[in-house]
Amino acid sequence: MVKLSELQKFLVDKAIIFPTAEMYGSFAGFFDYGPLGVEMKRAVKNEWWNHFVRGRSDTVGMDGSIITHPKVWEASGHVDAFHDPLVECKKCKTRTRADHLIEDRLKITAEGMELKDVATLIREHDLTCPKCGSHDLIDPRYFELMFSTEVGAVEGNIAYLRPETAQLIFVDFPRIYKASRGSLPFGIAQIGKAFRNEISPRNFVFRAREFEQMEIEYFFNPETRIELKPNDTKVNVLTRDAQDKGESHTPLKISSLVNFTSEWHVYWISEVWNFLMKIGLRPENLRLRQHTKEELSHYAQDTWDVDYLFPFGWKEMIGMANRSDFDLKQHAKHSGDELKVLDGDKKIYPWVMEPSFGVDRLIMALLSDAWYIDKDSKDKRQVLRLNPKIAPIQIGVFPLVNKEGMDTAAWEIYLELSKHFRAFYDSKGSIGRRYRRQDSIGTPYCITIDGDTLKDKTVTLRERDSMDQKRIKIRSIGTKISESF
Ligand code: GAP
């Protein structure tokens, strides 16, 4: 497992992901993606969109506004309840998330704990300031997580930057459902930025103040049964019950999760799992964790997270909540609009399953999963074993030497390949070095154009993981690469 400091250094040095505005000392919780990072991010988002939107006949896409009508967040409950417990040091004034202080020091989960219980634990265990070690901490209080801004020329016209993409889907549901001539079950998906004024952003992009989400709200009638296909895939599972007993995760078949949650939930767990396998995550670094009763959000009947074994431990990467009819009922109450839909001969408030992915967390997981140092190689070859679908560059094109017609032939091949793949042309340095450079950023294939290419229209195709080299016809390069996707 890669160390966080190693991964972070690599990502910053290669300008894949790095703190924003470094020349001004950066800006905690905000990050920029450079050329390779943005290619990978786009590829991950495209895979997700193709899988969950284009790949399904019951789901459509949308793109909602970021600065949102304040009533949306009153109805959703965010204005009243979207806050984290904050503790402040009297001496050095450092502000820390109180539940994280408890988790770090006492090794227990404190997320969702009531403020008075948080205060009691801090007092009873005499927890100290993480910065200066002082015992003098001000009693915890809640800190609002939504960023607000003022809209237009009228003072006090407060609006919020969306802290999740989900609510835009709920408020747009009636129009989209009608225009799509929808019937239940019906999904609406969205990819976009979300903003949270995190008290202590940490672990690189894992907890940022500006991040991106890929969310689906899947509307269904809870009285309709879903036919589950048997799924014997075994995954690491940590149920609510196991957590209450202090046990750790155990391997269970996905189908057997119907013993712990609804069939609709199991259906979505299975769909999400299939996607994670498709983009190449390693199952041993993943687990499904059911939320305990104490940590369930105000809107959730049940929630299962996909946790990833990050360099700093098991942490949430994806949340999958059963939101029941909470949101549509809230928006109906606050707007006065009728938000029921006809299902069969009955008008109902549909229930909602919500698979919610954090793009940045998924990218961080994919990168740390793919990180590999070949200890047997002389120069400790560093390889990012990324799935070709999401590698920032899919093929490197090299002329053996930058003359004698090899350069022009290589350039032509590069131009042709870049119409279909993320291709990169490199004519500088030894071939060995060029291969190593591409290995370290995850490029699955490289081709070298040499003297023979000009005679017999073949190139050397070199594979990243095995380092095998084969001679193949120029015209079969595309097929060869596509086959590996
Ligand atoms: N609509 C439901 C919702 O937003 P959430 O568990 O608060 O649920 C969903 O967020 C996902 O968004 C998380 O699983 C995580 O991947 C990502 N996420 C949440 N807060 C984040 C943050 N501060 N930085 C990066 N990603 C975050």
Side-chain angles (χ1 to χ4, degrees):
M1 166 69 61
V2 60
K3 289 196 190 108
L4 178 63
S5 54
E6 262 174 357
L7 181 63
Q8 200 166 320
K9 181 173 181 331
F10 164 76
L11 294 175
V12 173
D13 286 351
K14 298 264 183 202
I16 296 175
I17 313 175
F18 47 96
T20 192
E22 287 171 294
M23 67 176 71
Y24 294 109
S26 70
F27 202 30
F30 298 92
F31 295 88
D32 293 342
Y33 283 68
L36 298 172
V38 78
E39 288 295 351
M40 179 171 173
K41 197 182 199 191
R42 288 175 80 112
V44 168
K45 290 193 284 186
N46 284 343
E47 282 300 320
W48 187 90
W49 195 262
N50 288 339
H51 188 91
F52 289 112
V53 184
R54 296 209 182 131
R56 299 181 63 101
S57 55
D58 61 357
T59 301
V60 297
M62 66 162 280
D63 186 18
S65 66
I66 284 175
I67 298 178
T68 319
H69 198 299
K71 289 263 187 239
V72 172
W73 308 107
E74 281 169 30
S76 67
H78 282 78
V79 169
D80 284 339
F82 196 53
H83 44 221
D84 278 335
L86 171 145
V87 70
E88 187 171 342
C89 172
K90 267 193 194 155
K91 199 166 154 216
C92 74
K93 308 284 177 228
T94 295
R95 291 172 157 200
T96 313
R97 224 177 114 166
D99 51 342
H100 286 172
L101 182 70
I102 292 172
E103 283 171 17
D104 290 349
R105 298 283 170 79
L106 307 180
K107 307 291 171 226
I108 55 168
T109 312
E111 194 156 335
M113 202 178 259
E114 293 220 8
L115 201 58
K116 62 175 179 16
D117 300 328
V118 169
T120 310
L121 278 175
I122 292 179
R123 222 176 303 117
E124 277 176 0
H125 293 271
D126 195 16
L127 299 185
T128 53
C129 168
K131 180 128 187 251
C132 73
S134 163
H135 293 258
D136 216 356
L137 301 179
I138 299 172
D139 264 352
R141 63 180 168 86
Y142 280 128
F143 178 79
E144 303 307 327
L145 292 181
M146 278 199 295
F147 281 104
S148 60
T149 185
E150 281 188 60
V151 176
V154 184
E155 262 181 48
N157 196 10
I158 295 287
Y160 299 99
L161 274 69
R162 63 184 186 196
E164 60 171 13
T165 62
Q167 291 305 321
L168 280 296
I169 298 182
F170 295 123
V171 295
D172 291 351
F173 168 71
R175 179 169 298 286
I176 292 176
Y177 190 71
K178 192 167 163 222
S180 313
R181 295 191 293 124
S183 59
L184 298 180
F186 182 75
I188 305 182
Q190 181 173 206
I191 300 180
K193 291 260 178 152
F195 303 82
R196 297 183 188 178
N197 197 6
E198 297 284 352
I199 297 168
S200 24
R202 59 179 180 172
N203 294 331
F204 204 49
V205 294
F206 178 83
R207 192 171 301 285
R209 288 180 168 136
E210 175 176 337
F211 55 95
E212 207 158 353
Q213 290 185 319
M214 306 188 283
E215 297 197 290
I216 303 163
E217 306 303 325
Y218 193 74
F219 301 85
F220 66 99
N221 182 343
E223 284 176 10
T224 309
R225 282 202 63 196
I226 176 160
E227 282 293 320
L228 286 178
K229 288 196 202 112
N231 188 339
D232 289 343
T233 314
K234 280 198 168 176
V235 299
N236 296 322
V237 176
L238 186 56
T239 61
R240 176 179 302 146
D241 213 28
Q243 289 167 86
D244 291 344
K245 292 183 190 144
E247 294 166 1
S248 52
H249 60 252
T250 46
L252 291 179
K253 286 183 187 169
I254 290 187
S255 287
S256 73
L257 297 180
V258 287
N259 297 320
F260 307 100
T261 191
S262 71
E263 287 176 339
W264 286 98
H265 224 133
V266 178
Y267 169 73
W268 272 103
I269 288 173
S270 174
E271 290 297 294
V272 166
W273 190 267
N274 292 345
F275 174 73
L276 296 178
M277 294 303 102
K278 190 170 163 187
I279 57 170
L281 277 165
R282 286 192 275 158
E284 64 273 25
N285 289 338
L286 296 167
R287 76 173 182 194
L288 293 167
R289 189 182 74 81
Q290 188 176 25
H291 279 204
T292 60
K293 280 270 178 267
E294 296 72 45
E295 71 183 302
L296 276 180
S297 306
H298 61 280
Y299 53 74
Q301 295 273 320
D302 192 10
T303 298
W304 289 72
D305 289 343
V306 180
D307 287 351
Y308 179 79
L309 185 56
F310 285 101
F312 36 88
W314 287 106
K315 295 278 175 203
E316 173 187 342
M317 179 174 73
I318 297 162
M320 288 177 283
N322 177 344
R323 299 181 75 118
S324 71
D325 52 9
F326 177 85
D327 302 271
L328 288 182
K329 273 191 174 157
Q330 282 296 105
H331 288 298
K333 194 167 122 198
H334 283 251
S335 66
D337 281 2
E338 152 82 292
L339 300 180
K340 284 185 177 172
V341 300
L342 199 62
D343 190 46
D345 54 1
K346 259 202 205 154
K347 274 196 145 188
I348 62 155
Y349 281 108
W351 279 35
V352 175
M353 286 296 316
E354 180 194 59
S356 173
F357 292 65
V359 179
D360 312 83
R361 287 190 190 178
L362 182 54
I363 287 190
M364 203 168 165
L366 285 162
L367 287 164
S368 68
D369 224 40
W371 180 276
Y372 170 72
I373 305 275
D374 184 353
K375 299 220 169 75
D376 296 334
S377 63
K378 252 204 246 146
D379 59 348
K380 306 270 177 291
R381 183 174 84 110
Q382 202 230 292
V383 193
L384 269 189
R385 295 192 289 195
L386 290 170
N387 184 297
K389 290 192 195 80
I390 48 133
I393 296 170
Q394 294 169 310
I395 183 150
V397 181
F398 313 151
L400 182 64
V401 289
N402 206 16
K403 54 186 178 187
E404 294 162 22
M406 290 177 223
D407 46 350
T408 34
W411 186 251
E412 268 172 35
I413 294 173
Y414 160 73
L415 289 181
E416 194 50 38
L417 285 173
S418 53
K419 288 181 194 159
H420 311 282
F421 303 102
R422 295 182 290 278
F424 182 76
Y425 184 84
D426 188 3
S427 59
K428 293 186 216 113
S430 75
I431 284 290
R433 284 237 183 84
R434 285 184 249 172
Y435 285 149
R436 287 291 194 266
R437 221 177 289 140
Q438 294 304 315
D439 288 344
S440 75
I441 56 170
T443 309
Y445 298 103
C446 293
I447 52 168
T448 299
I449 287 85
D450 56 22
D452 287 342
T453 309
L454 309 176
K455 291 182 220 141
D456 62 9
K457 304 233 174 301
T458 62
V459 295
T460 302
L461 178 86
R462 190 253 193 193
E463 205 267 332
R464 175 195 68 201
D465 298 346
S466 63
M467 295 193 285
D468 280 352
Q469 300 194 12
K470 273 193 210 105
R471 207 68 203 170
I472 64 161
K473 290 272 181 209
I474 294 173
R475 65 179 145 73
S476 51
I477 304 170
T479 320
K480 176 82 195 142
I481 301 168
S482 306
E483 273 168 6
S484 70
F485 283 15

